[in-house]
Amino acid sequence: MKVLISVEKAINRGLLMIHIPILMIFLTTVFLLSYLILNNYVEPWFTPFGLIFGILFLLIYRNFAITKWRIWAYENVRNINELKQKARLHKLIGRDGNFFERIEIRSQYQNEKLKILEKRINVKDIFRDDISVPKETKIFYAKHLGIGGLFVGMFFLATGFYLLFGKEKSIFGLLPIIGSIFPFKKGIKIIRDKNYQILINSEGIKLKNEELISWKYIQEANMDFDPNFNHHGSHIQHYFSFVVNGNVVNVPINELNVNHIRLKHLLQVYRVRYEKENKVRSI
């Protein structure tokens, strides 16, 4: 009987096969270009062409390597759905059918093999309890982010006063003073809020100021994490989403004291406990 490996081991191998070589290719390109330019082997105008060549080589390697890793992982991991979700969290793959999946380099044999292996997605994943997880988990705002916001606000404020009342006495000092308002406001909000933002246990999920939602009504198949640009377009926002009675609930987690990988594990553990306590039969 074939011994299957854990999702975590498959992800770690993916990081070694894909992310680390990609980083090395990029750094080698930058160092090589710097060496050639500083030693007058090539002219500075060659820099963008060298970077484009390095990025193309990087993409070619990535598109070969990701196919090899997919086949190996799908053959050696039991929980294919969990594998794909966690691979997305680690930026190994994107959503099915996205641009980067379409440009993956596959032979006809590899393509046919992946189609066969991906049929296992229809098989329900098997999860086990984790005794290290407590009976109930409360997730709060990350206080260090609030403190960081206050420091950023103080820096902007000090810079503004220096520009306004220093030697230059520039009116442009008003800009950082105005800019300090947002980090101050955000930092104070996080520090003052002592309530949990999410509570999870074997009964369900409870969001702040909301009623507890039983696992019975949460559609696990739609529970996922996605990196998306927030409405400011300034940074990547992580959130988890689930469907309750046809309604999608999105919960941002960037400012919470838990990362998306840990939260995903907690959700799996408490779902398992709910099914065990209520004798829910796995299909």
Side-chain angles (χ1 to χ4, degrees):
M1 182 177 176
K2 185 175 182 179
V3 178
L4 299 177
I5 65 170
S6 68
V7 169
E8 287 70 25
K9 286 184 178 179
I11 294 296
N12 288 336
R13 177 160 174 168
L15 296 175
L16 289 173
M17 286 178 62
I18 300 162
H19 280 190
I20 291 179
I22 283 176
L23 177 61
M24 295 304 297
I25 292 170
F26 178 76
L27 292 177
T28 300
T29 300
V30 172
F31 286 133
L32 183 59
L33 272 175
S34 301
Y35 174 81
L36 293 174
I37 292 170
L38 291 173
N39 289 277
N40 298 317
Y41 288 113
V42 297
E43 297 295 328
W45 58 261
F46 181 75
T47 301
F49 296 100
L51 287 174
I52 290 172
F53 176 80
I55 291 172
L56 286 175
F57 183 70
L58 179 153
L59 286 173
I60 290 171
Y61 172 81
R62 184 262 178 199
N63 291 332
F64 271 112
I66 194 67
T67 296
K68 292 196 70 170
W69 176 79
R70 276 184 189 271
I71 292 174
W72 173 84
Y74 289 2
E75 287 180 328
N76 290 279
V77 171
R78 166 62 178 79
N79 291 354
I80 299 297
N81 289 289
E82 180 190 6
L83 173 72
K84 294 185 75 171
Q85 288 182 5
K86 290 189 175 179
R88 285 199 292 268
L89 297 183
H90 287 86
K91 312 299 188 295
L92 285 171
I93 62 174
R95 286 199 167 275
D96 293 343
N98 76 343
F99 171 75
F100 287 104
E101 184 184 54
R102 291 197 298 270
I103 64 172
E104 288 177 19
I105 300 172
R106 303 173 181 176
S107 66
Q108 185 176 352
Y109 170 76
Q110 289 175 322
N111 208 33
E112 293 298 324
K113 192 166 187 177
L114 279 171
K115 286 181 180 178
I116 294 171
L117 290 171
E118 285 183 345
K119 290 180 180 178
R120 292 177 55 204
I121 292 174
N122 297 322
V123 179
K124 186 175 180 179
D125 290 348
I126 296 175
F127 298 108
R128 292 178 175 81
D129 197 356
D130 180 351
I131 60 173
S132 68
V133 174
K135 289 183 65 176
E136 184 174 82
T137 298
K138 294 179 179 178
I139 299 169
F140 299 84
Y141 275 126
K143 297 304 179 186
H144 70 277
L145 294 180
I147 296 170
L150 294 183
F151 274 111
V152 171
M154 290 171 63
F155 173 78
F156 282 151
L157 195 62
T159 302
F161 276 109
Y162 175 79
L163 293 174
L164 272 176
F165 303 109
K167 293 181 180 179
E168 301 295 331
K169 290 185 171 56
S170 173
I171 192 66
F172 289 108
L174 289 172
L175 294 177
I177 291 176
I178 295 172
S180 69
I181 295 174
F182 177 73
F184 264 130
K185 183 178 178 182
K186 192 171 183 179
I188 292 171
K189 172 192 171 186
I190 291 175
I191 291 173
R192 291 184 62 187
D193 195 329
K194 307 295 184 182
N195 300 313
Y196 64 79
Q197 304 304 304
I198 307 174
L199 180 147
I200 319 172
N201 56 32
S202 60
E203 295 180 18
I205 300 173
K206 186 179 186 304
L207 305 180
K208 180 184 176 182
N209 300 326
E210 301 286 344
E211 295 294 326
L212 184 138
I213 306 169
S214 171
W215 288 111
K216 178 180 179 180
Y217 303 108
I218 297 174
Q219 298 179 27
E220 184 180 16
N222 292 286
M223 190 178 297
D224 200 2
F225 295 82
D226 285 312
N228 275 324
F229 287 102
N230 67 357
H231 60 282
H232 298 294
S234 58
H235 69 286
I236 291 178
Q237 175 69 264
H238 285 93
Y239 65 91
F240 80 90
S241 62
F242 52 92
V243 175
V244 181
N245 297 326
N247 298 313
V248 179
V249 180
N250 293 319
V251 184
I253 66 167
N254 279 25
E255 297 173 357
L256 305 183
N257 61 351
V258 65
N259 63 38
H260 49 287
I261 296 171
R262 173 63 177 171
L263 184 51
K264 181 67 180 176
H265 179 65
L266 292 174
L267 293 169
Q268 290 173 346
V269 169
Y270 288 118
R271 165 72 79 167
V272 167
R273 291 180 184 176
Y274 165 78
E275 293 180 350
K276 183 177 179 181
E277 291 172 9
N278 294 275
K279 296 181 171 59
V280 176
R281 294 168 61 184
S282 297
I283 300 174

